[in-house]
Every structure is written in structure tokens, then in C-alpha cells.
Amino acid sequence: KDIIDTHDFETEMGSAIYRGRRPDSDAPIVTMIRRAGGAVLGKTVTTEFAATFPGPTTNPHNVNHTPGGSSSGSAAAVAAGMVPLAIGSQTAGSIVRPAAFCGVAGYKPSFGMFPTAGVKLMSWSLDTLGFFGQGIPDVSFFASAVAGYAITRRKERPPRYGLLETSRWPQISPDMHDAVAAAVRRATLCGASFSHVAVPDFYASADGAHNTIQNYEIARALAFEFDHHAGLLSPGLKTIIEDGLAIAPEEYVIAQQTALQARGASGVLFEGVDALLLPSAPGAAPQGLAYTGDSALCRVWTLLGFACVNVPGFRDKTGMPLGLQIVAPWGRDDDALWAAEFLEDAINAGADA
């Protein structure tokens, strides 16, 4: 993703401000890939500074639809078969959502699991590097190779999934409702169990805290660009920065306290279950290229630092991909990938009658 420094490729961050910029060194994540034997083939398009203004990438399944963002090029390159694996980043939903829209696997690790040094900063409390591949085994292999140890861990029994219908549930498209129901039927036939999980008291406040923290930190992370190159920023990004500058430090501190309290209380979500199953996005990729889609179904999990995996396999009535999201607690990436691979196998088995 072209917010990640590479000494042998330009790193322009989706902005004219940095056109032609060639870093002096690789970001640590790039060095880790090379040391693991990875061949870095090139850079993928990012939205402007990994925010909302889209780049030129389109969706490989229908060029009139968005590929999602901000890791648009990473998801689309894997979906189009241009590369087998790609790196992206997520501050709200920028790995899970484009993976869902492009019909590939996307793995956002637990917060802090992989180094973000040498990556253009957006939010020091939220930014997380992650992995794209054709299927769950690909991202599991990729992440394990880079990390230097086996992240995945299989269990003798099938997973226990929790179904969580948040306040965002009414936004889910009919096709996405059908996909969730079909996934439950197919996984149940393969031996998995499902139970409904109550929406925790902290969910709504954590959702609001994410935007406060994100916008406050973006405004400061892009202070130089705003102060010295405002004319080269998109109107939308300037609005985000201005909104962030209007957030009082006291409000930011309260949002951070809310996030801390939510993390402390989040264990209630996983009592008796290994992982949560939710939609990755409200539906398939929206038509048009000016809007990269809604990240609302990803934000709280990013705030909590949880491991999240997009599982591909379903399509809507027009043939566009639909993605389902597996969520596991911080540090339980092995459970997230195990539950995601089990679900992917069940979906691909195809029998849900």
C-alpha cells in the first residue's frame, strides 16, 4: 500500500504533495517481508493519505463499482490476480471493507501486532497493518511467514460463533441478510454452533469514541500538510482535518477513556463463544467511484484492537461479492483465523439445505 515506505519504489501516499518521493529506507514491515523471502513487486493505490478521497482503482468484478478503501489497490490487485498477496492498513474499516467488496480474504491483526513505523501516520491509536490474499489460508500463511511464527492454530472441535445484531443491523441489505443466514446453515451442518450475543452497553459510546479519536489524531498527523500544502488536499480531507481541529482536548481524553473502559468490558462478548460472526459491510460495493463505502460495521472492532477477518464466498443478486466478518478478542488472532477458515470451508462446501 502506497503509504508504506519502500527504498526502491516511490511512496506518494495518494497525494500530489508527495509525488515522486523516494524514501531512504524500507518500513520495518517491508524488511520483514523481504527477510521472509518475499518479493516486493510494487506499490498499490491508496486513497489520499488512507482517508476517504478515492484513487483511480476500480472494482475488478465491475469497474463501475468502488473497490472500497482505503486499501483499494491492495484488495483489487489480489482480486484481479495481479499479485497473490498484498499489504494494507486499517484505521476504521480499510482492510475488511475492500476485501469484502473485492471478494478476497482480508486479515486485520490485533492492534500493535505488526510495526507501523515507516507507514504514513493517520491515527496512532488505531492504525493497524494487515494482509490480503485469495483465501484465508493465504493470509494465514502470509502473516505467519512475516511474523516468523505460526499464528494459526486448529482445534479438535468446530468453532462456537456468536451472532451480534447491533444498532447497525437495519442498514444491512436483504442479500447480506441472506448471506449471513446461509453461512449459519452451512457452518452448522459442518458441526459449528451459534448463539446470539447481547449488544453490550458500551457499544454506542465506543462507536462515537472511534470517530472522535480518529478525527482528532488525523488533524494532528496531517498538521504539516494542512499548514503548508492545504491547496493540494482534497476538500473532503480538509473538512476532516478542520473537524478534528475543532475537537477539544478534553473531549479527546474522554473518548480515550471510553475506549479504555470498552476494552476492559469487552470480554462479555466472548462468554461461551470463540469469535463473532457479522457482516463486513452493509452490502456489496456501492455503484460509483466517488464513495468507498460505509465502515460502520468495522469501526468499534478497530477501536477495541480486535483481530478481524473478512471471509469471502457469497455474492448478491447482481453477482457482486459479499463479505462476512469474523471478530476475535485482542491477542486471539489464532482463533480469528481458525474460525474464519472453518467458515470459508463451510461456505465453499455449498450445502445449506
Side-chain angles (χ1 to χ4, degrees):
K1 184 176 180 179
D2 199 29
I3 58 169
I4 302 172
D5 282 352
T6 44
H7 81 277
D8 48 354
F9 295 102
E10 294 174 348
T11 303
E12 299 178 329
M13 296 172 281
S15 172
I17 296 171
Y18 292 103
R19 186 166 294 143
R21 172 180 174 265
R22 180 70 67 88
D24 294 327
S25 62
D26 288 339
I29 190 68
V30 179
T31 299
M32 293 167 73
I33 291 170
R34 296 189 200 273
R35 285 182 174 179
V40 181
L41 301 180
K43 306 301 282 290
T44 58
V45 167
T46 175
T47 61
E48 179 190 25
F49 293 114
T52 58
F53 188 75
T57 308
T58 62
N59 194 306
H61 297 273
N62 186 324
V63 296
N64 295 314
H65 290 246
T66 180
S70 61
S71 305
S72 49
S74 297
V78 171
M82 298 171 69
V83 294
L85 305 164
I87 291 280
S89 67
Q90 179 158 313
T91 305
S94 294
I95 293 170
V96 171
R97 184 171 82 257
F101 287 171
C102 292
V104 298
Y107 163 41
K108 185 204 80 68
S110 294
F111 177 78
M113 189 169 174
F114 290 90
T116 54
V119 180
K120 179 57 178 176
L121 179 70
M122 287 296 281
S123 169
W124 53 90
S125 298
L126 302 169
D127 290 353
T128 308
L129 289 177
F131 305 86
F132 293 89
Q134 288 288 344
I136 307 303
D138 298 307
V139 294
S140 296
F141 164 78
F142 190 13
S144 296
V146 174
Y149 66 95
I151 297 173
T152 53
R153 175 175 58 88
R154 290 182 176 272
K155 296 183 180 180
E156 296 301 321
R157 59 171 176 81
R160 302 167 301 171
Y161 298 95
L163 297 172
L164 181 69
E165 298 184 7
T166 70
S167 57
R168 305 289 185 184
W169 201 252
Q171 302 172 18
I172 305 304
S173 72
D175 285 335
M176 183 61 81
H177 278 285
D178 291 344
V180 172
V184 171
R185 290 194 301 270
R186 295 183 189 186
T188 300
L189 286 173
C190 293
S193 62
F194 289 84
S195 57
H196 285 277
V197 175
V199 178
D201 293 338
F202 63 75
Y203 186 89
S205 59
D207 197 17
H210 176 278
N211 279 349
T212 299
I213 292 169
Q214 174 185 262
N215 290 352
Y216 182 94
E217 294 184 354
I218 285 174
R220 282 136 189 93
L222 296 179
F224 174 82
E225 291 82 0
F226 186 73
D227 289 351
H228 297 278
H229 300 285
L232 294 177
L233 297 174
S234 69
L237 183 54
K238 282 196 287 188
T239 298
I240 291 173
I241 294 171
E242 288 164 354
D243 289 346
L245 292 172
I247 297 171
E250 296 83 0
E251 186 179 353
Y252 171 73
V253 169
I254 291 171
Q256 287 282 20
Q257 291 171 339
T258 298
L260 184 62
Q261 292 165 358
R263 291 176 193 128
S266 63
V268 67
L269 289 165
F270 299 96
E271 293 176 353
V273 302
D274 300 300
L276 303 178
L277 169 62
L278 313 103
S280 293
Q287 189 169 4
L289 302 177
Y291 173 54
T292 59
D294 190 350
S295 65
L297 296 173
C298 304
R299 288 197 295 257
V300 168
W301 317 124
T302 305
L303 177 79
L304 296 174
F306 286 176
C308 304
V309 187
N310 177 70
V311 180
F314 287 110
R315 293 177 181 265
D316 71 1
K317 291 182 176 62
T318 70
M320 293 299 289
L322 296 169
L324 299 180
Q325 182 176 196
I326 295 296
V327 175
W330 184 92
R332 298 267 295 277
D333 295 58
D334 54 345
D335 280 348
L337 290 165
W338 163 61
E341 186 170 350
F342 186 97
L343 184 65
E344 183 178 52
D345 288 345
I347 291 171
N348 291 337
D352 61 349

